[in-house]
PDB file of all heavy atoms in Angstrom:
ATOM      1  N   GLN A 515    -103.268 -67.408 -70.535  1.00 97.00           N
ATOM      2  CA  GLN A 515    -104.211 -68.353 -70.043  1.00 97.00           C
ATOM      3  C   GLN A 515    -105.342 -68.675 -71.045  1.00 97.00           C
ATOM      4  O   GLN A 515    -105.757 -67.737 -71.773  1.00 97.00           O
ATOM      5  CB  GLN A 515    -104.859 -67.794 -68.740  1.00 97.00           C
ATOM      6  CG  GLN A 515    -105.917 -68.696 -68.170  1.00 97.00           C
ATOM      7  CD  GLN A 515    -106.388 -68.240 -66.757  1.00 97.00           C
ATOM      8  OE1 GLN A 515    -105.600 -68.279 -65.792  1.00 97.00           O
ATOM      9  NE2 GLN A 515    -107.606 -67.717 -66.670  1.00 97.00           N
ATOM     10  N   GLU A 516    -105.759 -69.946 -70.992  1.00 98.00           N
ATOM     11  CA  GLU A 516    -106.850 -70.355 -71.921  1.00 98.00           C
ATOM     12  C   GLU A 516    -108.149 -69.696 -71.427  1.00 98.00           C
ATOM     13  O   GLU A 516    -108.518 -69.879 -70.190  1.00 98.00           O
ATOM     14  CB  GLU A 516    -106.973 -71.850 -71.912  1.00 98.00           C
ATOM     15  CG  GLU A 516    -105.788 -72.553 -72.477  1.00 98.00           C
ATOM     16  CD  GLU A 516    -106.028 -74.071 -72.536  1.00 98.00           C
ATOM     17  OE1 GLU A 516    -106.969 -74.573 -71.879  1.00 98.00           O
ATOM     18  OE2 GLU A 516    -105.233 -74.737 -73.225  1.00 98.00           O
ATOM     19  N   LEU A 517    -108.860 -68.975 -72.279  1.00 98.00           N
ATOM     20  CA  LEU A 517    -110.094 -68.289 -71.841  1.00 98.00           C
ATOM     21  C   LEU A 517    -111.330 -68.867 -72.486  1.00 98.00           C
ATOM     22  O   LEU A 517    -112.388 -69.071 -71.821  1.00 98.00           O
ATOM     23  CB  LEU A 517    -109.970 -66.771 -72.200  1.00 98.00           C
ATOM     24  CG  LEU A 517    -108.802 -66.037 -71.578  1.00 98.00           C
ATOM     25  CD1 LEU A 517    -108.854 -64.601 -71.982  1.00 98.00           C
ATOM     26  CD2 LEU A 517    -108.818 -66.121 -70.048  1.00 98.00           C
ATOM     27  N   PHE A 518    -111.337 -69.018 -73.817  1.00 98.00           N
ATOM     28  CA  PHE A 518    -112.518 -69.467 -74.524  1.00 98.00           C
ATOM     29  C   PHE A 518    -112.207 -70.570 -75.548  1.00 98.00           C
ATOM     30  O   PHE A 518    -111.209 -70.484 -76.256  1.00 98.00           O
ATOM     31  CB  PHE A 518    -113.180 -68.327 -75.334  1.00 98.00           C
ATOM     32  CG  PHE A 518    -113.661 -67.156 -74.461  1.00 98.00           C
ATOM     33  CD1 PHE A 518    -112.834 -66.090 -74.228  1.00 98.00           C
ATOM     34  CD2 PHE A 518    -114.910 -67.199 -73.882  1.00 98.00           C
ATOM     35  CE1 PHE A 518    -113.309 -65.000 -73.446  1.00 98.00           C
ATOM     36  CE2 PHE A 518    -115.404 -66.151 -73.116  1.00 98.00           C
ATOM     37  CZ  PHE A 518    -114.575 -65.087 -72.878  1.00 98.00           C
ATOM     38  N   SER A 519    -113.077 -71.605 -75.561  1.00 98.00           N
ATOM     39  CA  SER A 519    -112.872 -72.590 -76.597  1.00 98.00           C
ATOM     40  C   SER A 519    -113.640 -72.177 -77.824  1.00 98.00           C
ATOM     41  O   SER A 519    -114.688 -71.481 -77.724  1.00 98.00           O
ATOM     42  CB  SER A 519    -113.470 -73.916 -76.079  1.00 98.00           C
ATOM     43  OG  SER A 519    -113.702 -74.768 -77.173  1.00 98.00           O
ATOM     44  N   SER A 520    -113.132 -72.578 -78.995  1.00 98.00           N
ATOM     45  CA  SER A 520    -113.813 -72.273 -80.241  1.00 98.00           C
ATOM     46  C   SER A 520    -115.285 -72.877 -80.243  1.00 98.00           C
ATOM     47  O   SER A 520    -116.109 -72.349 -81.034  1.00 98.00           O
ATOM     48  CB  SER A 520    -113.046 -72.748 -81.423  1.00 98.00           C
ATOM     49  OG  SER A 520    -112.840 -74.209 -81.326  1.00 98.00           O
ATOM     50  N   ASP A 521    -115.510 -73.870 -79.483  1.00 98.00           N
ATOM     51  CA  ASP A 521    -116.866 -74.462 -79.365  1.00 98.00           C
ATOM     52  C   ASP A 521    -117.938 -73.436 -78.893  1.00 98.00           C
ATOM     53  O   ASP A 521    -119.091 -73.672 -79.160  1.00 98.00           O
ATOM     54  CB  ASP A 521    -116.878 -75.637 -78.377  1.00 98.00           C
ATOM     55  CG  ASP A 521    -115.945 -76.742 -78.788  1.00 98.00           C
ATOM     56  OD1 ASP A 521    -115.614 -76.823 -80.012  1.00 98.00           O
ATOM     57  OD2 ASP A 521    -115.611 -77.601 -77.951  1.00 98.00           O
ATOM     58  N   THR A 522    -117.480 -72.444 -78.206  1.00 98.00           N
ATOM     59  CA  THR A 522    -118.446 -71.503 -77.655  1.00 98.00           C
ATOM     60  C   THR A 522    -118.486 -70.171 -78.392  1.00 98.00           C
ATOM     61  O   THR A 522    -119.113 -69.236 -77.990  1.00 98.00           O
ATOM     62  CB  THR A 522    -118.088 -71.202 -76.143  1.00 98.00           C
ATOM     63  OG1 THR A 522    -116.855 -70.518 -76.088  1.00 98.00           O
ATOM     64  CG2 THR A 522    -118.025 -72.460 -75.303  1.00 98.00           C
ATOM     65  N   LYS A 523    -117.800 -70.118 -79.548  1.00 98.00           N
ATOM     66  CA  LYS A 523    -117.712 -68.885 -80.307  1.00 98.00           C
ATOM     67  C   LYS A 523    -118.986 -68.853 -81.219  1.00 98.00           C
ATOM     68  O   LYS A 523    -119.400 -69.860 -81.785  1.00 98.00           O
ATOM     69  CB  LYS A 523    -116.474 -68.878 -81.185  1.00 98.00           C
ATOM     70  CG  LYS A 523    -116.225 -67.499 -81.866  1.00 98.00           C
ATOM     71  CD  LYS A 523    -114.847 -67.579 -82.548  1.00 98.00           C
ATOM     72  CE  LYS A 523    -114.391 -66.238 -83.060  1.00 98.00           C
ATOM     73  NZ  LYS A 523    -115.143 -65.741 -84.198  1.00 98.00           N
ATOM     74  N   PHE A 524    -119.515 -67.643 -81.422  1.00 98.00           N
ATOM     75  CA  PHE A 524    -120.617 -67.508 -82.349  1.00 98.00           C
ATOM     76  C   PHE A 524    -120.552 -66.108 -83.006  1.00 98.00           C
ATOM     77  O   PHE A 524    -119.852 -65.211 -82.533  1.00 98.00           O
ATOM     78  CB  PHE A 524    -121.975 -67.658 -81.594  1.00 98.00           C
ATOM     79  CG  PHE A 524    -122.348 -66.554 -80.689  1.00 98.00           C
ATOM     80  CD1 PHE A 524    -123.188 -65.533 -81.056  1.00 98.00           C
ATOM     81  CD2 PHE A 524    -121.827 -66.508 -79.384  1.00 98.00           C
ATOM     82  CE1 PHE A 524    -123.565 -64.513 -80.191  1.00 98.00           C
ATOM     83  CE2 PHE A 524    -122.134 -65.448 -78.504  1.00 98.00           C
ATOM     84  CZ  PHE A 524    -123.012 -64.454 -78.882  1.00 98.00           C
ATOM     85  N   ASP A 525    -121.262 -66.006 -84.111  1.00 97.00           N
ATOM     86  CA  ASP A 525    -121.282 -64.738 -84.811  1.00 97.00           C
ATOM     87  C   ASP A 525    -122.384 -63.855 -84.284  1.00 97.00           C
ATOM     88  O   ASP A 525    -123.534 -64.069 -84.554  1.00 97.00           O
ATOM     89  CB  ASP A 525    -121.420 -64.963 -86.353  1.00 97.00           C
ATOM     90  CG  ASP A 525    -121.354 -63.678 -87.120  1.00 97.00           C
ATOM     91  OD1 ASP A 525    -121.015 -62.656 -86.540  1.00 97.00           O
ATOM     92  OD2 ASP A 525    -121.603 -63.740 -88.330  1.00 97.00           O
ATOM     93  N   SER A 526    -121.997 -62.840 -83.488  1.00 97.00           N
ATOM     94  CA  SER A 526    -123.004 -62.004 -82.925  1.00 97.00           C
ATOM     95  C   SER A 526    -123.424 -60.877 -83.822  1.00 97.00           C
ATOM     96  O   SER A 526    -124.351 -60.118 -83.491  1.00 97.00           O
ATOM     97  CB  SER A 526    -122.410 -61.406 -81.588  1.00 97.00           C
ATOM     98  OG  SER A 526    -121.298 -60.549 -81.891  1.00 97.00           O
ATOM     99  N   GLY A 527    -122.636 -60.661 -84.896  1.00 97.00           N
ATOM    100  CA  GLY A 527    -122.948 -59.531 -85.767  1.00 97.00           C
ATOM    101  C   GLY A 527    -122.464 -58.191 -85.214  1.00 97.00           C
ATOM    102  O   GLY A 527    -122.714 -57.153 -85.791  1.00 97.00           O
ATOM    103  N   SER A 528    -121.751 -58.211 -84.038  1.00 97.00           N
ATOM    104  CA  SER A 528    -121.429 -56.974 -83.424  1.00 97.00           C
ATOM    105  C   SER A 528    -120.122 -56.404 -83.967  1.00 97.00           C
ATOM    106  O   SER A 528    -119.796 -55.245 -83.780  1.00 97.00           O
ATOM    107  CB  SER A 528    -121.176 -57.262 -81.882  1.00 97.00           C
ATOM    108  OG  SER A 528    -120.065 -58.139 -81.663  1.00 97.00           O
ATOM    109  N   GLY A 529    -119.282 -57.269 -84.658  1.00 98.00           N
ATOM    110  CA  GLY A 529    -118.034 -56.826 -85.081  1.00 98.00           C
ATOM    111  C   GLY A 529    -116.926 -57.087 -84.127  1.00 98.00           C
ATOM    112  O   GLY A 529    -115.795 -56.767 -84.306  1.00 98.00           O
ATOM    113  N   TRP A 530    -117.231 -57.829 -83.034  1.00 98.00           N
ATOM    114  CA  TRP A 530    -116.237 -58.263 -82.036  1.00 98.00           C
ATOM    115  C   TRP A 530    -116.350 -59.771 -81.878  1.00 98.00           C
ATOM    116  O   TRP A 530    -117.514 -60.310 -81.894  1.00 98.00           O
ATOM    117  CB  TRP A 530    -116.383 -57.541 -80.720  1.00 98.00           C
ATOM    118  CG  TRP A 530    -116.045 -56.100 -80.764  1.00 98.00           C
ATOM    119  CD1 TRP A 530    -114.796 -55.549 -80.752  1.00 98.00           C
ATOM    120  CD2 TRP A 530    -116.926 -54.974 -80.742  1.00 98.00           C
ATOM    121  NE1 TRP A 530    -114.898 -54.196 -80.761  1.00 98.00           N
ATOM    122  CE2 TRP A 530    -116.166 -53.842 -80.700  1.00 98.00           C
ATOM    123  CE3 TRP A 530    -118.346 -54.835 -80.738  1.00 98.00           C
ATOM    124  CZ2 TRP A 530    -116.741 -52.519 -80.782  1.00 98.00           C
ATOM    125  CZ3 TRP A 530    -118.920 -53.589 -80.729  1.00 98.00           C
ATOM    126  CH2 TRP A 530    -118.099 -52.451 -80.721  1.00 98.00           C
ATOM    127  N   PRO A 531    -115.276 -60.429 -81.669  1.00 98.00           N
ATOM    128  CA  PRO A 531    -115.307 -61.850 -81.395  1.00 98.00           C
ATOM    129  C   PRO A 531    -116.223 -62.125 -80.184  1.00 98.00           C
ATOM    130  O   PRO A 531    -116.048 -61.477 -79.157  1.00 98.00           O
ATOM    131  CB  PRO A 531    -113.853 -62.234 -81.093  1.00 98.00           C
ATOM    132  CG  PRO A 531    -113.048 -61.158 -81.733  1.00 98.00           C
ATOM    133  CD  PRO A 531    -113.868 -59.969 -81.681  1.00 98.00           C
ATOM    134  N   SER A 532    -117.173 -63.029 -80.318  1.00 98.00           N
ATOM    135  CA  SER A 532    -118.173 -63.246 -79.293  1.00 98.00           C
ATOM    136  C   SER A 532    -118.319 -64.719 -78.897  1.00 98.00           C
ATOM    137  O   SER A 532    -118.168 -65.623 -79.739  1.00 98.00           O
ATOM    138  CB  SER A 532    -119.559 -62.777 -79.745  1.00 98.00           C
ATOM    139  OG  SER A 532    -119.391 -61.377 -80.127  1.00 98.00           O
ATOM    140  N   PHE A 533    -118.518 -64.994 -77.639  1.00 98.00           N
ATOM    141  CA  PHE A 533    -118.577 -66.293 -77.092  1.00 98.00           C
ATOM    142  C   PHE A 533    -119.772 -66.384 -76.122  1.00 98.00           C
ATOM    143  O   PHE A 533    -120.119 -65.377 -75.495  1.00 98.00           O
ATOM    144  CB  PHE A 533    -117.300 -66.648 -76.283  1.00 98.00           C
ATOM    145  CG  PHE A 533    -116.020 -66.442 -77.077  1.00 98.00           C
ATOM    146  CD1 PHE A 533    -115.482 -65.176 -77.254  1.00 98.00           C
ATOM    147  CD2 PHE A 533    -115.415 -67.509 -77.766  1.00 98.00           C
ATOM    148  CE1 PHE A 533    -114.303 -64.995 -77.961  1.00 98.00           C
ATOM    149  CE2 PHE A 533    -114.247 -67.291 -78.535  1.00 98.00           C
ATOM    150  CZ  PHE A 533    -113.708 -66.063 -78.650  1.00 98.00           C
ATOM    151  N   PHE A 534    -120.347 -67.565 -76.006  1.00 98.00           N
ATOM    152  CA  PHE A 534    -121.459 -67.663 -75.070  1.00 98.00           C
ATOM    153  C   PHE A 534    -120.980 -68.201 -73.690  1.00 98.00           C
ATOM    154  O   PHE A 534    -121.814 -68.181 -72.767  1.00 98.00           O
ATOM    155  CB  PHE A 534    -122.621 -68.482 -75.661  1.00 98.00           C
ATOM    156  CG  PHE A 534    -122.380 -69.915 -76.016  1.00 98.00           C
ATOM    157  CD1 PHE A 534    -122.248 -70.898 -75.061  1.00 98.00           C
ATOM    158  CD2 PHE A 534    -122.240 -70.199 -77.355  1.00 98.00           C
ATOM    159  CE1 PHE A 534    -122.064 -72.182 -75.446  1.00 98.00           C
ATOM    160  CE2 PHE A 534    -121.986 -71.534 -77.775  1.00 98.00           C
ATOM    161  CZ  PHE A 534    -121.896 -72.515 -76.743  1.00 98.00           C
ATOM    162  N   LYS A 535    -119.748 -68.673 -73.567  1.00 98.00           N
ATOM    163  CA  LYS A 535    -119.272 -69.168 -72.296  1.00 98.00           C
ATOM    164  C   LYS A 535    -117.802 -69.209 -72.194  1.00 98.00           C
ATOM    165  O   LYS A 535    -117.170 -69.726 -73.096  1.00 98.00           O
ATOM    166  CB  LYS A 535    -119.860 -70.603 -72.096  1.00 98.00           C
ATOM    167  CG  LYS A 535    -119.661 -71.157 -70.685  1.00 98.00           C
ATOM    168  CD  LYS A 535    -120.359 -72.453 -70.507  1.00 98.00           C
ATOM    169  CE  LYS A 535    -119.619 -73.648 -71.203  1.00 98.00           C
ATOM    170  NZ  LYS A 535    -120.262 -74.901 -70.916  1.00 98.00           N
ATOM    171  N   PRO A 536    -117.212 -68.702 -71.145  1.00 98.00           N
ATOM    172  CA  PRO A 536    -115.818 -68.852 -70.907  1.00 98.00           C
ATOM    173  C   PRO A 536    -115.449 -70.199 -70.351  1.00 98.00           C
ATOM    174  O   PRO A 536    -116.349 -70.922 -69.874  1.00 98.00           O
ATOM    175  CB  PRO A 536    -115.436 -67.734 -69.925  1.00 98.00           C
ATOM    176  CG  PRO A 536    -116.697 -67.503 -69.150  1.00 98.00           C
ATOM    177  CD  PRO A 536    -117.863 -67.940 -70.023  1.00 98.00           C
ATOM    178  N   LEU A 537    -114.188 -70.613 -70.369  1.00 98.00           N
ATOM    179  CA  LEU A 537    -113.807 -71.851 -69.710  1.00 98.00           C
ATOM    180  C   LEU A 537    -114.019 -71.631 -68.218  1.00 98.00           C
ATOM    181  O   LEU A 537    -114.015 -70.506 -67.697  1.00 98.00           O
ATOM    182  CB  LEU A 537    -112.353 -72.131 -69.948  1.00 98.00           C
ATOM    183  CG  LEU A 537    -112.013 -72.471 -71.450  1.00 98.00           C
ATOM    184  CD1 LEU A 537    -110.519 -72.586 -71.654  1.00 98.00           C
ATOM    185  CD2 LEU A 537    -112.680 -73.763 -71.860  1.00 98.00           C
ATOM    186  N   PRO A 538    -114.200 -72.732 -67.445  1.00 97.00           N
ATOM    187  CA  PRO A 538    -114.458 -72.623 -66.046  1.00 97.00           C
ATOM    188  C   PRO A 538    -113.351 -71.824 -65.297  1.00 97.00           C
ATOM    189  O   PRO A 538    -112.177 -72.079 -65.477  1.00 97.00           O
ATOM    190  CB  PRO A 538    -114.472 -74.082 -65.502  1.00 97.00           C
ATOM    191  CG  PRO A 538    -114.769 -74.903 -66.761  1.00 97.00           C
ATOM    192  CD  PRO A 538    -114.191 -74.129 -67.888  1.00 97.00           C
ATOM    193  N   ASN A 539    -113.770 -70.805 -64.525  1.00 94.00           N
ATOM    194  CA  ASN A 539    -112.865 -69.989 -63.741  1.00 94.00           C
ATOM    195  C   ASN A 539    -111.788 -69.268 -64.545  1.00 94.00           C
ATOM    196  O   ASN A 539    -110.748 -68.886 -64.028  1.00 94.00           O
ATOM    197  CB  ASN A 539    -112.178 -70.826 -62.663  1.00 94.00           C
ATOM    198  CG  ASN A 539    -113.189 -71.517 -61.740  1.00 94.00           C
ATOM    199  OD1 ASN A 539    -114.113 -70.911 -61.330  1.00 94.00           O
ATOM    200  ND2 ASN A 539    -112.925 -72.811 -61.513  1.00 94.00           N
ATOM    201  N   ALA A 540    -112.055 -69.071 -65.842  1.00 97.00           N
ATOM    202  CA  ALA A 540    -111.045 -68.480 -66.697  1.00 97.00           C
ATOM    203  C   ALA A 540    -111.009 -66.955 -66.636  1.00 97.00           C
ATOM    204  O   ALA A 540    -109.961 -66.346 -66.651  1.00 97.00           O
ATOM    205  CB  ALA A 540    -111.220 -68.919 -68.135  1.00 97.00           C
ATOM    206  N   VAL A 541    -112.169 -66.384 -66.540  1.00 97.00           N
ATOM    207  CA  VAL A 541    -112.270 -64.876 -66.523  1.00 97.00           C
ATOM    208  C   VAL A 541    -112.924 -64.407 -65.239  1.00 97.00           C
ATOM    209  O   VAL A 541    -113.613 -65.156 -64.540  1.00 97.00           O
ATOM    210  CB  VAL A 541    -113.034 -64.357 -67.727  1.00 97.00           C
ATOM    211  CG1 VAL A 541    -112.358 -64.722 -69.043  1.00 97.00           C
ATOM    212  CG2 VAL A 541    -114.475 -64.773 -67.724  1.00 97.00           C
ATOM    213  N   ALA A 542    -112.674 -63.136 -64.910  1.00 97.00           N
ATOM    214  CA  ALA A 542    -113.399 -62.542 -63.830  1.00 97.00           C
ATOM    215  C   ALA A 542    -114.182 -61.319 -64.328  1.00 97.00           C
ATOM    216  O   ALA A 542    -113.967 -60.919 -65.494  1.00 97.00           O
ATOM    217  CB  ALA A 542    -112.344 -62.015 -62.829  1.00 97.00           C
ATOM    218  N   THR A 543    -115.133 -60.916 -63.549  1.00 97.00           N
ATOM    219  CA  THR A 543    -116.014 -59.857 -63.918  1.00 97.00           C
ATOM    220  C   THR A 543    -116.130 -58.752 -62.868  1.00 97.00           C
ATOM    221  O   THR A 543    -115.911 -59.009 -61.727  1.00 97.00           O
ATOM    222  CB  THR A 543    -117.435 -60.359 -64.243  1.00 97.00           C
ATOM    223  OG1 THR A 543    -117.967 -60.993 -63.136  1.00 97.00           O
ATOM    224  CG2 THR A 543    -117.464 -61.346 -65.422  1.00 97.00           C
ATOM    225  N   SER A 544    -116.492 -57.598 -63.316  1.00 96.00           N
ATOM    226  CA  SER A 544    -116.723 -56.476 -62.367  1.00 96.00           C
ATOM    227  C   SER A 544    -117.725 -55.564 -63.014  1.00 96.00           C
ATOM    228  O   SER A 544    -117.909 -55.522 -64.200  1.00 96.00           O
ATOM    229  CB  SER A 544    -115.428 -55.757 -62.010  1.00 96.00           C
ATOM    230  OG  SER A 544    -114.867 -55.240 -63.175  1.00 96.00           O
ATOM    231  N   VAL A 545    -118.317 -54.683 -62.234  1.00 96.00           N
ATOM    232  CA  VAL A 545    -119.265 -53.744 -62.738  1.00 96.00           C
ATOM    233  C   VAL A 545    -118.533 -52.508 -63.287  1.00 96.00           C
ATOM    234  O   VAL A 545    -117.630 -51.957 -62.666  1.00 96.00           O
ATOM    235  CB  VAL A 545    -120.257 -53.271 -61.613  1.00 96.00           C
ATOM    236  CG1 VAL A 545    -121.123 -52.149 -62.141  1.00 96.00           C
ATOM    237  CG2 VAL A 545    -121.028 -54.407 -61.112  1.00 96.00           C
ATOM    238  N   ASP A 546    -118.883 -52.175 -64.477  1.00 94.00           N
ATOM    239  CA  ASP A 546    -118.248 -51.030 -65.205  1.00 94.00           C
ATOM    240  C   ASP A 546    -119.300 -49.977 -65.380  1.00 94.00           C
ATOM    241  O   ASP A 546    -120.271 -50.160 -66.097  1.00 94.00           O
ATOM    242  CB  ASP A 546    -117.735 -51.513 -66.542  1.00 94.00           C
ATOM    243  CG  ASP A 546    -117.147 -50.382 -67.413  1.00 94.00           C
ATOM    244  OD1 ASP A 546    -117.100 -49.240 -66.910  1.00 94.00           O
ATOM    245  OD2 ASP A 546    -116.751 -50.674 -68.516  1.00 94.00           O
ATOM    246  N   LYS A 547    -119.154 -48.820 -64.770  1.00 94.00           N
ATOM    247  CA  LYS A 547    -120.165 -47.764 -64.826  1.00 94.00           C
ATOM    248  C   LYS A 547    -119.712 -46.620 -65.728  1.00 94.00           C
ATOM    249  O   LYS A 547    -120.252 -45.476 -65.636  1.00 94.00           O
ATOM    250  CB  LYS A 547    -120.481 -47.185 -63.436  1.00 94.00           C
ATOM    251  CG  LYS A 547    -121.185 -48.238 -62.553  1.00 94.00           C
ATOM    252  CD  LYS A 547    -121.481 -47.600 -61.185  1.00 94.00           C
ATOM    253  CE  LYS A 547    -122.142 -48.655 -60.287  1.00 94.00           C
ATOM    254  NZ  LYS A 547    -122.064 -48.232 -58.822  1.00 94.00           N
ATOM    255  N   SER A 548    -118.668 -46.831 -66.528  1.00 91.00           N
ATOM    256  CA  SER A 548    -118.202 -45.816 -67.426  1.00 91.00           C
ATOM    257  C   SER A 548    -119.181 -45.515 -68.567  1.00 91.00           C
ATOM    258  O   SER A 548    -120.060 -46.341 -68.845  1.00 91.00           O
ATOM    259  CB  SER A 548    -116.822 -46.107 -67.930  1.00 91.00           C
ATOM    260  OG  SER A 548    -116.881 -47.250 -68.765  1.00 91.00           O
TER     261      SER A 548
END
Side-chain angles (χ1 to χ4, degrees):
Q515 177 170 292
E516 296 184 345
L517 301 180
F518 297 95
S519 160
S520 58
D521 297 342
T522 64
K523 191 174 190 288
F524 70 100
D525 183 6
S526 65
S528 67
W530 290 284
S532 302
F533 305 84
F534 60 77
K535 191 172 75 177
L537 293 174
N539 303 316
V541 299
T543 57
S544 60
V545 176
D546 175 4
K547 291 181 184 162
S548 66

